[in-house]
Amino acid sequence: MWKGFDVIPAPYLLYLGSSQDPLSIKTARGVAHWRPEKCVGERRLSADAQSLGLANLSYGEAVARGARTMLIGVANRGGVMTEGDVAEVLAAIAAGLDVASGLHQRLRDNKDIAQAAARHGRKLYDVRDPAPNLPVGNGEKRAGYRLLTVGTDCSVGKMYTSLALERELKGRNVRCDFRATGQTGIMIDGAGVPVDAVVADFISGSVEQLSPARSDGGWDIIEGQGSLYHPSYAGVSLGLLHGAQPDALVICDEPGRAHMRGLPGRVLPSLEDTIRVNLEAARLTNPNVVVVGVAFNTSGLPRAAADRLCAETSDRTGLPVQDPVAHGVSLIVDRMLECFASSRRAASAGR
Amino acid sequence: MWKGFDVIPAPYLLYLGSSQDPLSIKTARGVAHWRPEKCVGERRLSADAQSLGLANLSYGEAVARGARTMLIGVANRGGVMTEGDVAEVLAAIAAGLDVASGLHQRLRDNKDIAQAAARHGRKLYDVRDPAPNLPVGNGEKRAGYRLLTVGTDCSVGKMYTSLALERELKGRNVRCDFRATGQTGIMIDGAGVPVDAVVADFISGSVEQLSPARSDGGWDIIEGQGSLYHPSYAGVSLGLLHGAQPDALVICDEPGRAHMRGLPGRVLPSLEDTIRVNLEAARLTNPNVVVVGVAFNTSGLPRAAADRLCAETSDRTGLPVQDPVAHGVSLIVDRMLECFASSRRAASAGR
């Protein structure tokens, strides 16, 4: 098993602080949505703060209900903790909780927090830190099945799609594991590699380590990052693609997006170009790679228009096309399992 | 001008230690070959150690002849300094020299060396350290002309070809600058970015910073790294390609190499595939990119066979094909200047 990053001990208390902005608690919401069984409650500091609808617990109550780690699932301006946040972290540690954070500012770099953790024997998890001693990738074919989500752009739903695929597969009793490659995914799953924070020489190697050989007939569902068409991050995307050596790709896109994320004036690539370029690059480490579906984020479209667009795109490409939020991913999973029928028989053995 | 990495002060004393193996002084030999005007001498510790044929100087003599920095241009086993090496570094610092090293073990991590440098007011240059606060790439077209060497594989002559192009261009009074992206190139040029050591998110941004906008009509000759076909390092190569946004590519290859560097059993891509894939990827940040030549490392072939291969490859591809060591790069530079004739006129203004 992968040991590059310790698994964050569950269950969790989700720290929301005094956040007023729904967007600022995106990570905590993701954890509550995708791993509700791991969340014993939330910690809000004021009555008007954002809530996830969980029980608002003191640290003592959280520990009494079995919580082992407080997740700092908020994104403050600049990714730094306020003095109030630090005081809360210290109280959580004193109450017996480990603490995990996806903030840019590392927990371990705050002297008070580091000393308190040492004194109380608690662990700190800075999920933006890649594991030490990552290997260089070797491109050798590993045992097992892998699916990777790739995108026309950043932030088009690769993580959501990956988690929806994992949930659908588990619902069908197909063995599978979500493999997180970004901070939010790592907070949701409790483990993973922050691939954009890895030193360049080790991008593909870090993903080889994240998704090691498996011989149970099950699938690794690997979260993609960036896009081969994004001039800021394509190197990350290519190393991730090579290291993942996917058997199956799902293409993620947001139809109608005006320009590439953060780059006004730069249009998104077509779905067809995205498919062609990702397949060609992926063949370097897995010549048998296939595309098994398209996941659209259609949140900006009226439902009827979205449904029509999915149907038309499916007719044009011959692929199942769904919005994971609006439609789920059952057709994509049908196609994936059809393409890899032998794996389906081997893996139909509970999760 | 680029300020990401301080320029190592020349002239240099080249430290060779007691190296017995010609390969271990490859970096020092590169500096002596490409920047002879910057080298006042060498420092050997025994009569039977490898020599570059320069004057063997004491530290006092080196300082008297104007040396400002001692370059540790040797690669020891494991990339670490022996106790003897450390003692020599301390003596060099005491004599008034800065010290630059491409070793994996950082100078600054040796307490004695760090303290001596502080005490004597000398600077330490660990060229494997990327600059802090690198920007994220933006892919916006910058002013000026850029050439990038790309390869079928690692270690096929991209650095040598880049430096040969720089020398040929300067010989023709075309303004240009070599832009180093690896440790040896940085030691040779005194500046650059170790792109394989950059955090993944900043690969293309670091190259945008390395090769900023220029409006003198001259060229940046950017050293390539890795290969889009190398499963360990392709992410580095793609980020470098996007950040470089080259106008011109030179394709580097070693005909007859049995397998990809470090990966027995994995064959090299064809020249045609390498050209096609690099052009397609490069068009993301420079739609007008062209290939202006092929540089073969034919050191493993008899000269007549090498000449025939170059001629045949040139006929097949329509490109000038030369071995920079055996033939120079004049035909490649001819083609480059033909393709960008307006720049030639603008830049014919001395170096």
Side-chain angles (χ1 to χ4, degrees):
Chain A
M1 246 324 273
W2 177 63
K3 297 285 181 201
F5 191 89
D6 291 340
V7 176
I8 301 169
Y12 307 136
L13 174 69
L14 301 177
Y15 179 76
L16 305 178
S18 310
S19 300
Q20 302 288 326
D21 173 10
L23 266 182
S24 71
I25 62 161
K26 211 178 72 166
T27 296
R29 183 177 290 113
V31 178
H33 180 79
W34 291 107
R35 298 291 185 262
E37 72 282 5
K38 287 189 179 179
C39 302
V40 302
E42 64 187 31
R43 171 70 176 166
R44 276 182 295 142
L45 299 183
S46 59
D48 62 346
Q50 287 289 317
S51 169
L52 296 166
L54 303 176
N56 190 22
L57 305 179
S58 71
Y59 299 116
E61 289 168 340
V63 170
R65 294 194 191 190
R68 298 184 58 196
T69 306
M70 178 164 88
L71 298 192
I72 303 186
V74 295
N76 297 324
R77 262 190 300 269
V80 298
M81 289 175 281
T82 64
E83 274 184 44
D85 293 329
V86 172
E88 294 294 319
V89 169
L90 295 175
I93 290 170
L97 292 167
D98 290 347
V99 182
S101 163
L103 294 176
H104 184 73
Q105 183 189 17
R106 306 300 200 262
L107 294 167
R108 61 171 157 72
D109 288 342
N110 181 293
K111 201 179 289 184
D112 295 334
I113 292 174
Q115 285 175 353
R119 195 165 56 244
H120 292 278
R122 304 305 348 148
K123 279 200 169 176
L124 303 175
Y125 299 87
D126 284 302
V127 305
R128 284 175 185 254
D129 285 343
N133 302 319
L134 290 170
V136 167
N138 60 40
E140 282 171 29
K141 189 77 182 75
R142 307 190 290 287
Y145 293 97
R146 289 173 187 80
L147 180 144
L148 174 70
T149 50
V150 299
T152 52
D153 192 3
C154 302
S155 307
V156 287
K158 290 180 286 283
M159 187 191 79
Y160 191 99
T161 301
S162 302
L163 287 159
L165 289 165
E166 182 207 28
R167 184 172 281 182
E168 176 74 19
L169 284 164
K170 289 194 167 167
R172 299 190 193 191
N173 290 327
V174 177
R175 283 199 188 105
C176 67
D177 292 285
F178 172 69
R179 301 296 187 190
T181 61
Q183 285 98 26
T184 300
I186 295 171
M187 297 284 265
I188 289 173
D189 199 55
V193 59
V195 69
D196 59 6
V198 162
V199 166
D201 247 3
F202 304 100
I203 303 172
S204 64
S206 73
V207 181
E208 292 182 1
Q209 189 181 66
L210 172 71
S211 176
R214 68 183 295 168
S215 49
D216 63 352
W219 283 78
D220 276 5
I221 308 297
I222 304 171
E223 176 193 6
Q225 294 291 335
S227 162
L228 292 181
Y229 281 93
H230 199 296
S232 310
Y233 308 116
V236 175
S237 305
L238 184 62
L240 204 172
L241 182 59
H242 286 160
Q245 52 179 234
D247 303 278
L249 294 175
V250 171
I251 313 293
C252 302
D253 184 32
E254 183 185 319
R257 183 179 287 193
H259 60 77
M260 295 290 282
R261 182 96 175 170
L263 301 174
R266 184 176 283 275
V267 298
L268 273 70
S270 71
L271 213 50
E272 281 77 1
D273 278 345
T274 305
I275 291 172
R276 180 178 53 77
V277 164
N278 275 281
L279 280 177
E280 171 154 21
R283 287 189 187 115
L284 185 72
T285 55
N286 189 348
N288 300 317
V289 60
V290 294
V291 175
V292 298
V294 174
F296 275 161
N297 175 350
T298 65
S299 57
L301 298 175
R303 179 64 186 259
D307 292 350
R308 197 166 57 239
L309 181 68
C310 288
E312 287 170 0
T313 308
S314 183
D315 286 346
R316 197 178 81 228
T317 60
L319 293 166
V321 181
Q322 299 187 282
D323 182 326
V325 175
H327 311 124
V329 291
S330 60
L331 301 179
I332 297 173
V333 166
D334 288 347
R335 175 67 62 91
M336 169 189 145
L337 294 177
E338 277 165 37
C339 289
F340 298 88
S342 64
S343 77
R344 186 187 194 178
R345 284 190 296 272
S348 286
R351 33 185 293 190
Chain B
M1 247 321 275
W2 178 62
K3 296 284 182 203
F5 191 92
D6 290 340
V7 176
I8 301 169
Y12 307 137
L13 174 69
L14 301 177
Y15 179 75
L16 305 178
S18 311
S19 300
Q20 302 288 327
D21 173 11
L23 266 181
S24 71
I25 63 161
K26 211 179 72 166
T27 296
R29 182 177 293 113
V31 178
H33 180 78
W34 291 108
R35 298 290 185 262
E37 73 281 6
K38 287 190 181 178
C39 302
V40 300
E42 63 187 31
R43 171 69 176 166
R44 275 182 296 141
L45 298 184
S46 59
D48 63 345
Q50 288 288 317
S51 169
L52 295 166
L54 304 175
N56 190 22
L57 304 179
S58 71
Y59 299 116
E61 290 168 341
V63 170
R65 295 196 190 187
R68 297 184 58 196
T69 306
M70 179 166 86
L71 298 192
I72 304 187
V74 295
N76 297 324
R77 262 189 300 269
V80 297
M81 288 175 280
T82 64
E83 274 184 44
D85 292 330
V86 172
E88 294 294 319
V89 170
L90 296 175
I93 290 170
L97 292 167
D98 290 348
V99 182
S101 163
L103 294 176
H104 184 74
Q105 183 189 17
R106 306 298 201 263
L107 294 167
R108 61 172 157 70
D109 287 343
N110 181 293
K111 202 178 288 181
D112 295 334
I113 292 174
Q115 285 175 352
R119 196 165 57 243
H120 292 277
R122 305 303 350 144
K123 276 200 171 177
L124 303 176
Y125 298 87
D126 284 302
V127 304
R128 285 177 186 252
D129 286 342
N133 302 320
L134 290 170
V136 167
N138 60 40
E140 280 170 31
K141 189 77 182 76
R142 307 190 290 286
Y145 293 97
R146 287 172 189 82
L147 181 145
L148 174 69
T149 50
V150 299
T152 52
D153 193 3
C154 302
S155 307
V156 287
K158 289 180 286 284
M159 186 191 79
Y160 191 99
T161 301
S162 302
L163 287 158
L165 290 164
E166 182 208 29
R167 184 172 283 182
E168 176 75 18
L169 284 164
K170 288 195 167 165
R172 300 190 192 191
N173 291 328
V174 177
R175 281 200 190 104
C176 66
D177 292 285
F178 171 70
R179 301 297 188 189
T181 61
Q183 286 99 25
T184 300
I186 295 171
M187 296 284 265
I188 289 172
D189 199 55
V193 59
V195 68
D196 58 6
V198 163
V199 166
D201 248 3
F202 304 99
I203 303 171
S204 63
S206 73
V207 181
E208 292 182 1
Q209 189 181 65
L210 172 71
S211 176
R214 68 183 294 167
S215 49
D216 63 353
W219 284 77
D220 277 6
I221 308 297
I222 304 172
E223 177 194 5
Q225 294 292 334
S227 162
L228 293 181
Y229 281 94
H230 200 296
S232 310
Y233 308 116
V236 175
S237 305
L238 184 62
L240 204 172
L241 182 59
H242 286 161
Q245 54 178 233
D247 302 278
L249 294 174
V250 171
I251 314 292
C252 301
D253 185 32
E254 182 184 319
R257 182 178 288 194
H259 60 77
M260 294 291 281
R261 182 97 175 167
L263 302 174
R266 184 176 283 276
V267 298
L268 274 70
S270 71
L271 213 51
E272 282 78 359
D273 278 345
T274 305
I275 291 171
R276 180 178 53 78
V277 164
N278 274 281
L279 280 177
E280 171 153 20
R283 286 188 187 114
L284 186 71
T285 54
N286 189 346
N288 299 317
V289 59
V290 293
V291 175
V292 298
V294 174
F296 274 162
N297 174 351
T298 64
S299 56
L301 297 175
R303 180 66 188 260
D307 293 350
R308 199 166 56 238
L309 181 68
C310 287
E312 286 170 0
T313 308
S314 183
D315 286 347
R316 197 177 80 228
T317 60
L319 294 166
V321 180
Q322 298 187 284
D323 181 327
V325 175
H327 311 125
V329 291
S330 60
L331 301 178
I332 298 172
V333 166
D334 287 347
R335 175 67 63 92
M336 169 190 146
L337 295 177
E338 277 167 36
C339 288
F340 299 88
S342 64
S343 77
R344 189 189 192 176
R345 284 190 296 273
S348 287
R351 34 188 295 188

